[in-house]
Structures are given as structure tokens and as C-alpha cells.
Amino acid sequence: MLTTRQLYKQELETCRHHFEQVDLSKERGYLMKYTTFSANVENLLPSIPRKEHETLFRELLLQQVFTTFDQKCLTAGDLVKLRGAHNVLDKEHSPKIYCTYHLGSYRLLTSVLFRKGVDCVLLVGSNMNRSQGAEMTEHIEGLREKHGLTNVFRVVETGSPSAGLTVLRELKAGRSLIVFVDGSPETAPEAGEESQFLSVRFGQRRVLTRKGVGYLSHAAGVPIIPVVSYRKSDMINVLHCLKPIRPIVRSDRDMYCQEAMQQLYDSFWPYLKQYPGQWEGWNFIHLFLEPEIVKNKSLNQVKRLAFNENRYSLCDLEQAPILFDRRLYQTYEITEDLRDLLLNLHEVDSVEDVVGQEVFSELVDMEVLH
């Protein structure tokens, strides 16, 4: 007779088997998704060689399959290993702001908290709510029925004009908040929203992060609890509770927000380095990167021409070849002739004679040629 844990691992192996039958390279949009993923890894975690990026990307896609399965499996939360000061997950009268990240089976935190009887408010983007909200609600209702739970579960969309006031009211009513602090595509900065974001160090770059978590913590006097989810090599899910971040009464709110958000990203970084193939954020972190100022080389600095493959990637899409800037995340549609030229520069005596002085100067200024 197999145990619940053995049955769970067996189901994950079935998921893996089905995943490995798919030819990912033929999936629509695979090339651009992978190229963006690769650029993000290179910009934040350059210690990982580019030759390992595709294996890492496939690992992430498989982890997403596992995460989806965990959302449908009511017993997955019962099998989670708790690490750190995990008593902060237990039901108490005082509310908390649980800050987690899109690492591992990240939806299990909500499942575990609800299973423990905690009144929960889940803060998510509208797109995530549309795509995953129904599954999450179904999961919660399944737990409610299975275990006879009566605690509150509510979803609040970040894009709602009244989201901040709603969440503040919920915190003051004694309900705890669950936030994905590393963001999502629809919560990325847009023009005119600069005042809502802070700049924090993250790996080799700086990222923009919403300061709402720090503001709510300070305004409501509620501690922030960083919780990291990851899946070990033996397939066991872990929720690791890190040191709480507590607001100081009468402290400067802006200063607290900056320090709290930096601490949240600093706390996450060691786990991201250890489990890079489990972070869904690689697919969208470029939307939060603080722009870098790129100093272009002038023509007289160029001695030997070569295609700058460190900065650019060539992608053959259905419509036309694309030149992708891995540093600025810009795409340029190019001709097949230019694509072939860039791939075979060693066969050309004078690039300028082939493309003309104007195009040649542009390629050098953009550092396509260096």
C-alpha cells in the first residue's frame, strides 16, 4: 500500500513523463520566451553560463507543470515541510503580511495558511486572477469542505482603485494579507506611476518594486513575514519562514518602506541562486529592471568587426528575422540578408561596402558590431 507521499511523487513523475513528450521548440512563441528568459538570467545572475540557460528554462517550464498539479491536489499542502520560525503561520489574533515570491510551488502558502484556519486576503493582479483565480477558489473551497473550515478567504485585485483602502481595512479587521512581492507582468511600472515604486538592489541590477507592502505594514502596524517556497531534489515542497520585518512606531514611513523592500529582496536572493530553475519571475523581471545607460562606441574605436553576441541574439520568427537586444530588451525586425551577413561576417572584406555607410554607422552605434 503506497503512502500519500509516495502517491504524490508518482503523480509528479506522470506529469514529468507527459512534459517530456512535448517538443517545446515547436510551441508557439517558444523562441522569444526563451530568449527573454536567457537575457534576464544573464543580466541578474551572470555567473550562470549562457550554455546552461536552455536547460534552466526547461526546468522552469516543468516546475510550472508541477505547480499547476499542486493547485489541483488537496493533499499537496499537507505534505509541505515547514522551515524557519514557522509558528508565524499558525492562527493568531494579530494579522500579518505574508510576502512570498514566484519560486517553487508558490501557491501552496495560501493553501497552508487557510488549512491552519488563518483568515486570508490574497492580493493578485487582474490577469492572474482571471487565469488562476477560479482554480485557487476551487482549491480553497475543496479544503473548506474536506476539513470543515469556516475561516475567511478573499481575493483583492491590485489594479482596483480601492485596493489599498480595502486591504488596509481587512488588516485592521484582523485578517492577514498574502502578497507576491516580486510582482507580475500586469503590476509592472507604467508612465505616471513612478511615485508608487522604489528602486532596490537585486543581483547585478536594480529593480523597481511597488512600495505598497511597506506602506500597509507601517500604516496598520502589522509585521511583514517573508516566506520562500522551493522544491527539493526529492520533490518535497518546503515553505521557509524568514525573520519578520516589524514596523517601528513613529518612524519615517518612506524610510521604512525603502528598508523593508530592500530586505525582502535581499532575503530572497540566496534562495534564487540556489534554485534558479524554479523562479517564474525570470519570465517577466525585465519589466521591473531599472534602465541602464548604455555608452555606445564611436566608429574610430572599432578595430575588428564581429557580431556582438554578448548583447544581441538573432531569432528566426515566422514573420521575419528579429534582432533582440539582451540589455535593453528591444527587438528589431531585420531583413534575411542582414541576418545572413551578421552570421557570416568572417566572409566579408568590408561590411560598410555591403550595407552602406548609414546602416553601417547605425550597426556600430548600437553595438551590433563591435
Side-chain angles (χ1 to χ4, degrees):
M1 186 75 174
L2 294 177
T3 65
T4 303
R5 192 174 297 283
Q6 288 171 330
L7 286 170
Y8 173 74
K9 290 184 178 181
Q10 193 175 76
E11 289 296 330
L12 290 187
E13 284 306 316
T14 301
C15 290
R16 183 194 299 275
H17 174 74
H18 289 311
F19 174 81
E20 291 174 347
Q21 304 309 305
V22 179
D23 185 348
L24 294 174
S25 63
K26 293 182 180 178
E27 294 293 304
R28 187 175 181 82
Y30 174 83
L31 185 58
M32 277 307 300
K33 289 176 182 176
Y34 163 66
T35 304
T36 303
F37 166 91
S38 175
N40 285 336
V41 174
E42 203 160 62
N43 278 307
L44 288 177
L45 201 51
S47 59
I48 299 178
R50 192 182 295 186
K51 63 183 180 182
E52 296 178 13
H53 288 184
E54 188 158 15
T55 299
L56 207 60
F57 186 52
R58 289 171 180 267
E59 181 185 341
L60 172 59
L61 296 178
L62 176 58
Q63 289 296 329
Q64 289 178 314
V65 173
F66 290 160
T67 299
T68 300
F69 172 78
D70 286 344
Q71 182 68 78
K72 297 175 181 177
C73 178
L74 290 180
T75 58
D78 299 333
L79 301 173
V80 171
K81 293 289 186 182
L82 302 180
R83 295 286 183 266
H86 55 81
N87 61 307
V88 295
L89 302 178
D90 295 335
K91 183 180 180 181
E92 292 180 1
H93 294 296
S94 57
K96 301 174 182 64
I97 299 177
Y98 295 99
C99 285
T100 190
Y101 314 83
H102 290 89
L103 187 78
S105 195
Y106 53 84
R107 301 177 201 171
L108 285 178
L109 173 61
T110 303
S111 180
V112 169
L113 285 171
F114 188 77
R115 176 69 178 84
K116 285 176 170 286
V118 178
D119 291 326
C120 302
V121 178
L122 177 64
L123 191 62
V124 296
S126 56
N127 290 340
M128 183 177 178
N129 192 27
R130 281 194 295 271
S131 62
Q132 302 178 16
E135 285 186 359
M136 176 56 78
T137 301
E138 183 180 345
H139 183 86
I140 290 297
E141 291 308 312
L143 290 175
R144 190 188 298 280
E145 183 177 344
K146 181 179 179 181
H147 300 288
L149 300 168
T150 59
N151 45 312
V152 174
F153 174 75
R154 182 179 179 187
V155 175
V156 175
E157 291 188 0
T158 54
S160 168
S162 61
L165 288 175
T166 299
V167 170
L168 192 57
R169 190 162 53 242
E170 295 282 0
L171 286 170
K172 290 184 175 180
R175 290 160 189 156
S176 290
L177 179 64
I178 304 168
V179 183
F180 292 99
V181 75
D182 53 350
S184 60
E186 69 259 46
T187 62
E190 294 184 6
E193 291 187 337
E194 290 81 6
S195 63
Q196 298 178 28
F197 288 83
L198 297 169
S199 172
V200 295
R201 299 181 308 278
F202 192 46
Q204 296 300 305
R205 295 286 294 270
R206 296 190 71 86
V207 299
L208 299 173
T209 180
R210 289 185 180 270
K211 59 184 180 183
V213 166
Y215 173 86
L216 289 167
S217 170
H218 194 276
V222 174
I224 296 171
I225 311 295
V227 184
V228 183
S229 172
Y230 55 90
R231 192 185 304 272
K232 293 165 51 179
S233 57
D234 61 3
M235 308 304 284
I236 298 301
N237 289 304
V238 175
L239 287 179
H240 199 126
C241 301
L242 307 180
K243 184 180 179 181
I245 303 169
R246 302 184 185 279
I248 301 172
V249 180
R250 298 187 187 89
S251 64
D252 181 83
R253 184 168 293 173
D254 289 337
M255 185 179 297
Y256 172 72
C257 287
Q258 180 69 52
E259 292 177 354
M261 298 314 296
Q262 184 63 67
Q263 192 172 332
L264 283 167
Y265 276 84
D266 287 347
S267 298
F268 176 52
W269 184 248
Y271 295 91
L272 176 58
K273 288 198 297 182
Q274 188 172 356
Y275 303 100
Q278 297 186 26
W279 188 45
E280 201 170 284
W282 290 125
N283 295 330
F284 56 78
I285 192 61
H286 57 286
L287 302 173
F288 295 86
L289 288 181
E290 201 168 76
E292 278 193 329
I293 299 174
V294 179
K295 295 181 180 179
N296 294 327
K297 297 178 181 178
S298 61
L299 279 170
N300 58 17
Q301 289 178 296
V302 179
K303 297 178 180 179
R304 182 183 177 187
L305 291 175
F307 174 57
N308 189 354
E309 60 182 18
N310 287 328
R311 180 169 172 182
Y312 290 91
S313 290
L314 288 165
C315 303
D316 281 320
L317 301 185
E318 295 175 6
Q319 299 83 357
I322 293 291
L323 188 65
F324 179 76
D325 187 335
R326 302 171 66 90
R327 193 183 305 170
L328 301 181
Y329 297 91
Q330 294 178 353
T331 56
Y332 306 92
E333 188 173 315
I334 60 176
T335 64
E336 293 184 4
D337 287 343
L338 180 55
R339 185 258 332 263
D340 293 341
L341 175 66
L342 294 173
L343 290 173
N344 299 283
L345 286 173
H346 61 283
E347 299 178 0
V348 178
D349 292 330
S350 172
V351 176
E352 186 174 359
D353 288 347
V354 175
V355 300
Q357 195 271 330
E358 184 177 348
V359 174
F360 176 72
S361 297
E362 188 174 4
L363 291 174
V364 172
D365 288 343
M366 292 171 60
E367 291 189 351
V368 177
L369 301 177
H370 70 160

